[in-house]
Amino acid sequence: MPMLADPSQKYKPYTPLNIPDRQWPSKVQRAAPIWLSTDLRDGNQALANPMTIEQKTIFFKTLIKAGVKEIEVAYPAASDTDFNFVRGLIEGGLVPDDVWLQVLTPAREDLIKRTIDSVAGSKRAIIHMYNATSPSFRNVVFRNSKEKTIELAITHTKIVRKLVDEAAAKYGTQFKYEYSPETFTQTEPDFAIEVCQAVKTAWGKAGLGDERITFNLPATVEIAPPNHYADQIENFCRKISEREKIIVSLHPHNDRGTSIIITWQGVAAAELGMLAGGDRIEGCFFGNGERTGNVDLVTLALNLYTQGVAPNLDFSDIQSVIDAVVACNDLPVHPRHPYAGELVFTAFSGSHQDAIKKGFEAQRVRHAEAEAKGEPKYWDMPYLPIDPADLGCNYEAVIRVNAQSGKGGIAYLIQQHLGLDLPRKMQVAFYQVVQEVADREAREMSVEDITTAFRSNYHFGGSKYEGRLALKSFKISAEPLPDSAADDGDSDVPADERRLFDGTISVDGVVRVIRGDGNGPLSALLDALRTHLDLDFSIREYSEHAVGEGSSVKAASYVELVRGGQEVKEARKSNESWWGVGVDSDIAGSGLRAVLSAINTAIGDRVLPELKLSVGFNSRSGQADVASAVLQSLELELPRRFQSSFFEIVQRTARDSSDNISYTDLIQLFRDTYHYGTQVPSRISLKNFTLDNVGGRKELKVDLIWDGKDRQLVADGTGALSSIITSLNSQIEGTLSIKDYSEHSIGEGSNVEAASFVELAYDAPGQPKRVTSWGVSSDTDITASGLKALLRAASSFQLIPKPLVNGH
């Protein structure tokens, strides 16, 4: 049958109350009500599969943990299961002393007696009796007049009074009485008051505090807008006598879906009813109940909380409450349910995400200022009326990404999970990457999807995401420019300097040495890549920020590259660019990594030049190429000056063999020149040594083989190398001194060794200038490695021994 064109022919509208001076619209709620949970009674009877005793016990404990002090636990006269549950709570000692157990009974003497028996021995109990008072129930269901309806309520109230007095005397239980004119909102307002006045008189001991009588005014079936319920409550509160001796309890249902698009919400009627004079709210967690549900206590409480009112209920771990309620009721919490739904703190929309991201940034500044002034740090966030952290929720679900999402939300997730505050243009670039995936897969992208896409696209986050080019080690040094304004030494202006990049990078899994010069570390690296790998790029944009705090702080750098060889104006306008990101404890390192990150994206699968040696008069290979060969074969990262020194040796050797030298010959030349890994020892070699602390200095005792003869030396210094230099100088004419020293590790784990490089200078008497030489060694003991390297360097000099005097 179709809907009626004129529904007024079938349905009567509600009759409003005439209260011209109603007060509730201008009131503001500034205190929490008394909370009564009826999950275990009203909520339970609405379930297709009522809770077991075990489930009800779990639910009871959840209510206690949340801070509920009045709990309607059962309709004990309805079944042995309900009766036994109540007895189990009491006899099992599960009821805290400050919690009131409420039990429901209809106005029937035998059922009242069994109901009171169920709570005998408890510390605090509320007996809740009801009978229906509306015309439809009086005339149709019970066929009672108004007089008989009042008489029924009076008679059974007196029975309750007699039985609770007896139980109190026998068991010491403190009782309170609650009466419900069931179907209150459909009852004539004056008649509802008349019935309650008669019940109060029959009860005979309404007083103040815990002696107050409770009148529950239920919207058993919601028939009108919430303002009408508020009018009914205000009318009742105005006209009932001895208002101070009464607790007005509200029990809204949700048949009209008041105020919310989701069922299980009678929130508006309850909130307006409190403004109209209600003292107490009866409802269920997340709104379970008959038909469309009871009022949701969680939403009501958190609505107060967001207005700065302490609700006296604790939902700081709301997920555990959700889990318990869902498990016990076998009903899901709707994903859009206020405060508790999976999606309520979530923004998919790009504009919403951007607003939230900016809101967090502004709030950090605002809170810092408030903290400095000792002022409250107020929560004020677009689209988020409550801080999810107050409910034990993290911010992971605040922004979620699908095909409708924007760059701001994606950037927020990267900031939250990777600590990276992407420049706006990089946000745009990465947004396109994410949108391509989201459109292709037509699904929501998880945080892991997004961070993985970021790591993969920008080769960020360790060896798993390394690109074709990966930085292994580097050194940045400086040298004055030849035409610097301060070259003459008389200027107060600092000398202009160029930066020298010496580093090792992995190129498609092969470690290479590259060198470059520039006006800064990044331009020096770009020069090195241009020289050694034919990769020509320039920087269009660069930015950086700190990541972390204190001793663990790191630098994050962002680089936008464009193709090299362009005029500045062309580069600025270029539509083709590549972004990169790098993080390092060293600011230069983070920038270098960002450059390689961008280049890895730019080169794709482009073929890169292989290392081919051609040295000598017509050399095409530079000293970095020679150093690369040594690195690949021997794992030695030669210092720049060492590279230059060995390159000269290689060139001289290559000239004698038609300007070419093979890899094998090159490595053998290195071994022979520096006595590295060969059977032929250097002129001076180390047999063993001891190094002891003596009076704050180091005492070194060494056993050497010097030109085939054993020699023992003892000297002291600040360290092993300074001590051995002192010892050697005591044996020769002239002076040895250390000009350069460096070291690095070789291998990993238990197989790691130290590689040491020492450059020595020798000033010999009669020589026109000092001479220098390098030594290299590796050993599991770093001190031994340094000593051996120094002795090998010394062995290359024509040392002049001191003459012997009396055998010494």
Side-chain angles (χ1 to χ4, degrees), residues 202-217:
W203 179 244
K205 60 173 185 176
L208 303 177
D210 285 347
E211 295 296 322
R212 288 179 293 173
I213 187 171
T214 299
F215 287 128
N216 176 33
L217 308 180

mmCIF file with all atom_site columns, all heavy atoms in Angstrom, residues 202-217:
data_model
loop_
_atom_site.group_PDB
_atom_site.id
_atom_site.type_symbol
_atom_site.label_atom_id
_atom_site.label_alt_id
_atom_site.label_comp_id
_atom_site.label_asym_id
_atom_site.label_entity_id
_atom_site.label_seq_id
_atom_site.pdbx_PDB_ins_code
_atom_site.Cartn_x
_atom_site.Cartn_y
_atom_site.Cartn_z
_atom_site.occupancy
_atom_site.B_iso_or_equiv
_atom_site.pdbx_formal_charge
_atom_site.auth_seq_id
_atom_site.auth_comp_id
_atom_site.auth_asym_id
_atom_site.auth_atom_id
_atom_site.pdbx_PDB_model_num
ATOM 1   N N   . ALA A 1 202 ? 1.561  7.758  49.667 1.00 0.00 ? 202 ALA A N   1
ATOM 2   C CA  . ALA A 1 202 ? 1.498  6.355  50.106 1.00 0.00 ? 202 ALA A CA  1
ATOM 3   C C   . ALA A 1 202 ? 2.855  5.876  50.605 1.00 0.00 ? 202 ALA A C   1
ATOM 4   O O   . ALA A 1 202 ? 2.942  5.092  51.560 1.00 0.00 ? 202 ALA A O   1
ATOM 5   C CB  . ALA A 1 202 ? 1.002  5.473  48.968 1.00 0.00 ? 202 ALA A CB  1
ATOM 6   N N   . TRP A 1 203 ? 3.935  6.324  49.961 1.00 0.00 ? 203 TRP A N   1
ATOM 7   C CA  . TRP A 1 203 ? 5.281  5.935  50.391 1.00 0.00 ? 203 TRP A CA  1
ATOM 8   C C   . TRP A 1 203 ? 5.554  6.470  51.788 1.00 0.00 ? 203 TRP A C   1
ATOM 9   O O   . TRP A 1 203 ? 6.105  5.776  52.638 1.00 0.00 ? 203 TRP A O   1
ATOM 10  C CB  . TRP A 1 203 ? 6.314  6.441  49.381 1.00 0.00 ? 203 TRP A CB  1
ATOM 11  C CG  . TRP A 1 203 ? 7.741  6.115  49.724 1.00 0.00 ? 203 TRP A CG  1
ATOM 12  C CD1 . TRP A 1 203 ? 8.729  6.981  50.015 1.00 0.00 ? 203 TRP A CD1 1
ATOM 13  C CD2 . TRP A 1 203 ? 8.329  4.802  49.797 1.00 0.00 ? 203 TRP A CD2 1
ATOM 14  N NE1 . TRP A 1 203 ? 9.897  6.325  50.274 1.00 0.00 ? 203 TRP A NE1 1
ATOM 15  C CE2 . TRP A 1 203 ? 9.670  4.960  50.149 1.00 0.00 ? 203 TRP A CE2 1
ATOM 16  C CE3 . TRP A 1 203 ? 7.830  3.503  49.614 1.00 0.00 ? 203 TRP A CE3 1
ATOM 17  C CZ2 . TRP A 1 203 ? 10.547 3.910  50.320 1.00 0.00 ? 203 TRP A CZ2 1
ATOM 18  C CZ3 . TRP A 1 203 ? 8.696  2.447  49.773 1.00 0.00 ? 203 TRP A CZ3 1
ATOM 19  C CH2 . TRP A 1 203 ? 10.049 2.638  50.137 1.00 0.00 ? 203 TRP A CH2 1
ATOM 20  N N   . GLY A 1 204 ? 5.206  7.690  52.011 1.00 0.00 ? 204 GLY A N   1
ATOM 21  C CA  . GLY A 1 204 ? 5.166  8.235  53.365 1.00 0.00 ? 204 GLY A CA  1
ATOM 22  C C   . GLY A 1 204 ? 6.482  8.621  53.985 1.00 0.00 ? 204 GLY A C   1
ATOM 23  O O   . GLY A 1 204 ? 6.501  9.040  55.145 1.00 0.00 ? 204 GLY A O   1
ATOM 24  N N   . LYS A 1 205 ? 7.588  8.475  53.305 1.00 0.00 ? 205 LYS A N   1
ATOM 25  C CA  . LYS A 1 205 ? 8.856  8.850  53.942 1.00 0.00 ? 205 LYS A CA  1
ATOM 26  C C   . LYS A 1 205 ? 9.840  9.499  52.963 1.00 0.00 ? 205 LYS A C   1
ATOM 27  O O   . LYS A 1 205 ? 11.040 9.351  53.093 1.00 0.00 ? 205 LYS A O   1
ATOM 28  C CB  . LYS A 1 205 ? 9.511  7.647  54.615 1.00 0.00 ? 205 LYS A CB  1
ATOM 29  C CG  . LYS A 1 205 ? 9.860  6.470  53.721 1.00 0.00 ? 205 LYS A CG  1
ATOM 30  C CD  . LYS A 1 205 ? 10.645 5.447  54.532 1.00 0.00 ? 205 LYS A CD  1
ATOM 31  C CE  . LYS A 1 205 ? 11.132 4.305  53.661 1.00 0.00 ? 205 LYS A CE  1
ATOM 32  N NZ  . LYS A 1 205 ? 11.982 3.357  54.406 1.00 0.00 ? 205 LYS A NZ  1
ATOM 33  N N   . ALA A 1 206 ? 9.272  10.240 51.994 1.00 0.00 ? 206 ALA A N   1
ATOM 34  C CA  . ALA A 1 206 ? 10.140 10.993 51.097 1.00 0.00 ? 206 ALA A CA  1
ATOM 35  C C   . ALA A 1 206 ? 10.832 12.092 51.886 1.00 0.00 ? 206 ALA A C   1
ATOM 36  O O   . ALA A 1 206 ? 10.193 12.837 52.630 1.00 0.00 ? 206 ALA A O   1
ATOM 37  C CB  . ALA A 1 206 ? 9.335  11.595 49.952 1.00 0.00 ? 206 ALA A CB  1
ATOM 38  N N   . GLY A 1 207 ? 12.158 12.147 51.760 1.00 0.00 ? 207 GLY A N   1
ATOM 39  C CA  . GLY A 1 207 ? 12.923 13.155 52.485 1.00 0.00 ? 207 GLY A CA  1
ATOM 40  C C   . GLY A 1 207 ? 13.968 13.777 51.577 1.00 0.00 ? 207 GLY A C   1
ATOM 41  O O   . GLY A 1 207 ? 13.780 13.869 50.368 1.00 0.00 ? 207 GLY A O   1
ATOM 42  N N   . LEU A 1 208 ? 15.080 14.183 52.169 1.00 0.00 ? 208 LEU A N   1
ATOM 43  C CA  . LEU A 1 208 ? 16.141 14.813 51.407 1.00 0.00 ? 208 LEU A CA  1
ATOM 44  C C   . LEU A 1 208 ? 17.296 13.828 51.182 1.00 0.00 ? 208 LEU A C   1
ATOM 45  O O   . LEU A 1 208 ? 17.381 12.795 51.841 1.00 0.00 ? 208 LEU A O   1
ATOM 46  C CB  . LEU A 1 208 ? 16.636 16.058 52.141 1.00 0.00 ? 208 LEU A CB  1
ATOM 47  C CG  . LEU A 1 208 ? 15.570 17.130 52.450 1.00 0.00 ? 208 LEU A CG  1
ATOM 48  C CD1 . LEU A 1 208 ? 16.185 18.271 53.240 1.00 0.00 ? 208 LEU A CD1 1
ATOM 49  C CD2 . LEU A 1 208 ? 14.945 17.654 51.163 1.00 0.00 ? 208 LEU A CD2 1
ATOM 50  N N   . GLY A 1 209 ? 18.198 14.169 50.263 1.00 0.00 ? 209 GLY A N   1
ATOM 51  C CA  . GLY A 1 209 ? 19.359 13.319 50.011 1.00 0.00 ? 209 GLY A CA  1
ATOM 52  C C   . GLY A 1 209 ? 18.955 11.941 49.528 1.00 0.00 ? 209 GLY A C   1
ATOM 53  O O   . GLY A 1 209 ? 18.139 11.792 48.616 1.00 0.00 ? 209 GLY A O   1
ATOM 54  N N   . ASP A 1 210 ? 19.515 10.906 50.179 1.00 0.00 ? 210 ASP A N   1
ATOM 55  C CA  . ASP A 1 210 ? 19.207 9.533  49.776 1.00 0.00 ? 210 ASP A CA  1
ATOM 56  C C   . ASP A 1 210 ? 17.789 9.116  50.139 1.00 0.00 ? 210 ASP A C   1
ATOM 57  O O   . ASP A 1 210 ? 17.342 8.037  49.741 1.00 0.00 ? 210 ASP A O   1
ATOM 58  C CB  . ASP A 1 210 ? 20.205 8.556  50.423 1.00 0.00 ? 210 ASP A CB  1
ATOM 59  C CG  . ASP A 1 210 ? 21.564 8.605  49.741 1.00 0.00 ? 210 ASP A CG  1
ATOM 60  O OD1 . ASP A 1 210 ? 21.659 9.182  48.641 1.00 0.00 ? 210 ASP A OD1 1
ATOM 61  O OD2 . ASP A 1 210 ? 22.538 8.075  50.316 1.00 0.00 ? 210 ASP A OD2 1
ATOM 62  N N   . GLU A 1 211 ? 17.075 9.956  50.869 1.00 0.00 ? 211 GLU A N   1
ATOM 63  C CA  . GLU A 1 211 ? 15.685 9.645  51.227 1.00 0.00 ? 211 GLU A CA  1
ATOM 64  C C   . GLU A 1 211 ? 14.698 10.133 50.171 1.00 0.00 ? 211 GLU A C   1
ATOM 65  O O   . GLU A 1 211 ? 13.489 9.921  50.301 1.00 0.00 ? 211 GLU A O   1
ATOM 66  C CB  . GLU A 1 211 ? 15.335 10.293 52.575 1.00 0.00 ? 211 GLU A CB  1
ATOM 67  C CG  . GLU A 1 211 ? 16.131 9.739  53.756 1.00 0.00 ? 211 GLU A CG  1
ATOM 68  C CD  . GLU A 1 211 ? 15.820 8.263  53.991 1.00 0.00 ? 211 GLU A CD  1
ATOM 69  O OE1 . GLU A 1 211 ? 14.656 7.853  53.834 1.00 0.00 ? 211 GLU A OE1 1
ATOM 70  O OE2 . GLU A 1 211 ? 16.766 7.515  54.311 1.00 0.00 ? 211 GLU A OE2 1
ATOM 71  N N   . ARG A 1 212 ? 15.200 10.778 49.122 1.00 0.00 ? 212 ARG A N   1
ATOM 72  C CA  . ARG A 1 212 ? 14.283 11.267 48.091 1.00 0.00 ? 212 ARG A CA  1
ATOM 73  C C   . ARG A 1 212 ? 13.612 10.103 47.367 1.00 0.00 ? 212 ARG A C   1
ATOM 74  O O   . ARG A 1 212 ? 14.228 9.059  47.150 1.00 0.00 ? 212 ARG A O   1
ATOM 75  C CB  . ARG A 1 212 ? 15.026 12.142 47.087 1.00 0.00 ? 212 ARG A CB  1
ATOM 76  C CG  . ARG A 1 212 ? 15.444 13.505 47.622 1.00 0.00 ? 212 ARG A CG  1
ATOM 77  C CD  . ARG A 1 212 ? 16.205 14.308 46.580 1.00 0.00 ? 212 ARG A CD  1
ATOM 78  N NE  . ARG A 1 212 ? 17.499 13.708 46.273 1.00 0.00 ? 212 ARG A NE  1
ATOM 79  C CZ  . ARG A 1 212 ? 18.307 14.136 45.307 1.00 0.00 ? 212 ARG A CZ  1
ATOM 80  N NH1 . ARG A 1 212 ? 17.930 15.154 44.547 1.00 0.00 ? 212 ARG A NH1 1
ATOM 81  N NH2 . ARG A 1 212 ? 19.469 13.542 45.095 1.00 0.00 ? 212 ARG A NH2 1
ATOM 82  N N   . ILE A 1 213 ? 12.384 10.304 46.982 1.00 0.00 ? 213 ILE A N   1
ATOM 83  C CA  . ILE A 1 213 ? 11.680 9.333  46.145 1.00 0.00 ? 213 ILE A CA  1
ATOM 84  C C   . ILE A 1 213 ? 11.982 9.673  44.694 1.00 0.00 ? 213 ILE A C   1
ATOM 85  O O   . ILE A 1 213 ? 12.123 10.836 44.336 1.00 0.00 ? 213 ILE A O   1
ATOM 86  C CB  . ILE A 1 213 ? 10.157 9.371  46.421 1.00 0.00 ? 213 ILE A CB  1
ATOM 87  C CG1 . ILE A 1 213 ? 9.456  8.224  45.660 1.00 0.00 ? 213 ILE A CG1 1
ATOM 88  C CG2 . ILE A 1 213 ? 9.547  10.715 46.053 1.00 0.00 ? 213 ILE A CG2 1
ATOM 89  C CD1 . ILE A 1 213 ? 7.986  8.055  46.037 1.00 0.00 ? 213 ILE A CD1 1
ATOM 90  N N   . THR A 1 214 ? 12.125 8.648  43.884 1.00 0.00 ? 214 THR A N   1
ATOM 91  C CA  . THR A 1 214 ? 12.443 8.851  42.470 1.00 0.00 ? 214 THR A CA  1
ATOM 92  C C   . THR A 1 214 ? 11.194 8.628  41.630 1.00 0.00 ? 214 THR A C   1
ATOM 93  O O   . THR A 1 214 ? 10.527 7.594  41.746 1.00 0.00 ? 214 THR A O   1
ATOM 94  C CB  . THR A 1 214 ? 13.545 7.882  42.016 1.00 0.00 ? 214 THR A CB  1
ATOM 95  O OG1 . THR A 1 214 ? 14.730 8.125  42.785 1.00 0.00 ? 214 THR A OG1 1
ATOM 96  C CG2 . THR A 1 214 ? 13.878 8.085  40.541 1.00 0.00 ? 214 THR A CG2 1
ATOM 97  N N   . PHE A 1 215 ? 10.884 9.616  40.795 1.00 0.00 ? 215 PHE A N   1
ATOM 98  C CA  . PHE A 1 215 ? 9.818  9.456  39.811 1.00 0.00 ? 215 PHE A CA  1
ATOM 99  C C   . PHE A 1 215 ? 10.469 9.379  38.429 1.00 0.00 ? 215 PHE A C   1
ATOM 100 O O   . PHE A 1 215 ? 11.102 10.334 37.976 1.00 0.00 ? 215 PHE A O   1
ATOM 101 C CB  . PHE A 1 215 ? 8.818  10.614 39.868 1.00 0.00 ? 215 PHE A CB  1
ATOM 102 C CG  . PHE A 1 215 ? 7.930  10.556 41.075 1.00 0.00 ? 215 PHE A CG  1
ATOM 103 C CD1 . PHE A 1 215 ? 7.804  11.658 41.909 1.00 0.00 ? 215 PHE A CD1 1
ATOM 104 C CD2 . PHE A 1 215 ? 7.230  9.400  41.388 1.00 0.00 ? 215 PHE A CD2 1
ATOM 105 C CE1 . PHE A 1 215 ? 6.991  11.598 43.026 1.00 0.00 ? 215 PHE A CE1 1
ATOM 106 C CE2 . PHE A 1 215 ? 6.414  9.340  42.509 1.00 0.00 ? 215 PHE A CE2 1
ATOM 107 C CZ  . PHE A 1 215 ? 6.299  10.441 43.333 1.00 0.00 ? 215 PHE A CZ  1
ATOM 108 N N   . ASN A 1 216 ? 10.342 8.216  37.825 1.00 0.00 ? 216 ASN A N   1
ATOM 109 C CA  . ASN A 1 216 ? 10.869 8.004  36.476 1.00 0.00 ? 216 ASN A CA  1
ATOM 110 C C   . ASN A 1 216 ? 9.784  8.401  35.487 1.00 0.00 ? 216 ASN A C   1
ATOM 111 O O   . ASN A 1 216 ? 8.665  7.865  35.528 1.00 0.00 ? 216 ASN A O   1
ATOM 112 C CB  . ASN A 1 216 ? 11.255 6.536  36.317 1.00 0.00 ? 216 ASN A CB  1
ATOM 113 C CG  . ASN A 1 216 ? 11.718 6.227  34.902 1.00 0.00 ? 216 ASN A CG  1
ATOM 114 O OD1 . ASN A 1 216 ? 12.310 7.070  34.248 1.00 0.00 ? 216 ASN A OD1 1
ATOM 115 N ND2 . ASN A 1 216 ? 11.450 5.018  34.443 1.00 0.00 ? 216 ASN A ND2 1
ATOM 116 N N   . LEU A 1 217 ? 10.085 9.343  34.596 1.00 0.00 ? 217 LEU A N   1
ATOM 117 C CA  . LEU A 1 217 ? 9.104  9.866  33.637 1.00 0.00 ? 217 LEU A CA  1
ATOM 118 C C   . LEU A 1 217 ? 9.520  9.433  32.231 1.00 0.00 ? 217 LEU A C   1
ATOM 119 O O   . LEU A 1 217 ? 10.170 10.176 31.498 1.00 0.00 ? 217 LEU A O   1
ATOM 120 C CB  . LEU A 1 217 ? 9.032  11.392 33.745 1.00 0.00 ? 217 LEU A CB  1
ATOM 121 C CG  . LEU A 1 217 ? 8.805  11.931 35.170 1.00 0.00 ? 217 LEU A CG  1
ATOM 122 C CD1 . LEU A 1 217 ? 8.752  13.456 35.164 1.00 0.00 ? 217 LEU A CD1 1
ATOM 123 C CD2 . LEU A 1 217 ? 7.531  11.343 35.783 1.00 0.00 ? 217 LEU A CD2 1
#
